[in-house]
Amino acid sequence: MAARRRLLAIAIAAPLLCVGVYFGARASSTFAIRTIEVRGGTPALRAQVRAVVGPLRGRSLLALDGGALERRVDDVPTVVSSSYDRVFPHTLRLTVVPEIAVAVLHRGKETWLLSARGRVIRRIPKRTRLGLPRIWVPTAAQVSVGAFLPPDEGGTEARALELAAGFPARFSTVALTHGELTMRLRLGVELRLGDPVDVRLKLAIARRALRLLPPGTTYLDVAVPQRPVAGSNPQLSTSASALSG
């Protein structure tokens, strides 16, 4: 009987002891964060993330609020998403997925880098990143670093460029005018996609049609994917030709 009582007491005390040890470790410096490792992205991005999470040094790994940590890192304008690992006893390891710049956003004389998700990454000097296509928004548009552009003020154009990744020709400008999406190629052809729906399909049709364009073509209209039309003057129906194959 006495042995049974001792076993019962041990069974009750053991979990309480573990809980006490856990909360004691949380409140102590036993597992305090001393090193912050960041993986992914550029050296500049990794330095930025380390600066953002730097105030966590000295806190216990056990007391770390993972959700709040990821939100803090994901708020960095150049970060798409992040994850973390506790590397005991003293290391916090972060892995980040960086935003990918797809365009330069213009608002009057101001310019920013824009991501594939339509997020404003950072402000940049004019006449830089010349290899990226340009997107213009009205001077009254609200633009702030880290924010996502509305669909009708640059967001749609950015996402179209994301869908156009791997397109065989480079783009110079992208515009959404009166609900119609237009992507101008550097080779001089204006790609007309019409309503910004089924963009992936329209781009696939345009990819095939580009190989069939006659010399002097200035536009390719794939607004109706089943019947792409090319021509040298969009105002003259006699210059248009339906493409097949």
Side-chain angles (χ1 to χ4, degrees), residues 53-195:
V53 300
L56 295 178
R57 284 190 175 89
R59 297 189 187 182
S60 173
L61 285 170
L62 294 175
L64 187 66
D65 184 337
L69 170 64
E70 290 180 345
R71 287 191 295 272
R72 178 183 295 193
V73 176
D74 293 353
D75 281 342
V76 175
T78 46
V79 172
V80 173
S81 63
S82 62
S83 58
Y84 72 94
D85 288 309
R86 298 178 176 93
V87 184
F88 291 97
H90 301 296
T91 299
L92 173 61
R93 180 177 295 155
L94 293 158
T95 301
V96 297
V97 177
E99 292 278 13
I100 302 300
V102 297
V104 173
L105 178 71
H106 287 254
R107 185 186 65 180
K109 296 182 179 180
E110 300 172 292
T111 51
W112 294 263
L113 271 183
L114 189 62
S115 83
R117 299 192 300 159
R119 191 182 193 186
V120 182
I121 298 176
R122 67 174 182 274
R123 191 165 178 173
I124 59 174
K126 290 181 64 178
R127 299 183 181 86
T128 57
R129 302 301 294 266
L130 299 180
L132 292 177
R134 266 47 186 170
I135 296 172
W136 274 266
V137 294
T139 55
Q142 297 297 314
V143 179
S144 58
V145 174
F148 290 88
L149 297 179
D152 58 346
E153 292 185 349
T156 296
E157 294 96 311
R159 287 169 177 79
L161 285 169
E162 179 184 22
L163 296 174
F167 198 79
R170 297 175 66 185
F171 299 97
S172 59
T173 62
V174 185
L176 183 68
T177 307
H178 303 302
E180 301 287 314
L181 183 62
T182 302
M183 307 176 78
R184 181 170 291 277
L185 305 178
R186 290 185 183 271
L187 53 80
V189 176
E190 185 177 84
L191 181 58
R192 299 183 164 200
L193 288 85
D195 294 338

Side-chain angles (χ1 to χ4, degrees), residues 211-226:
R211 300 194 298 266
L212 305 172
L213 295 182
T217 298
T218 59
Y219 79 95
L220 171 61
D221 192 325
V222 291
V224 180
Q226 297 81 2

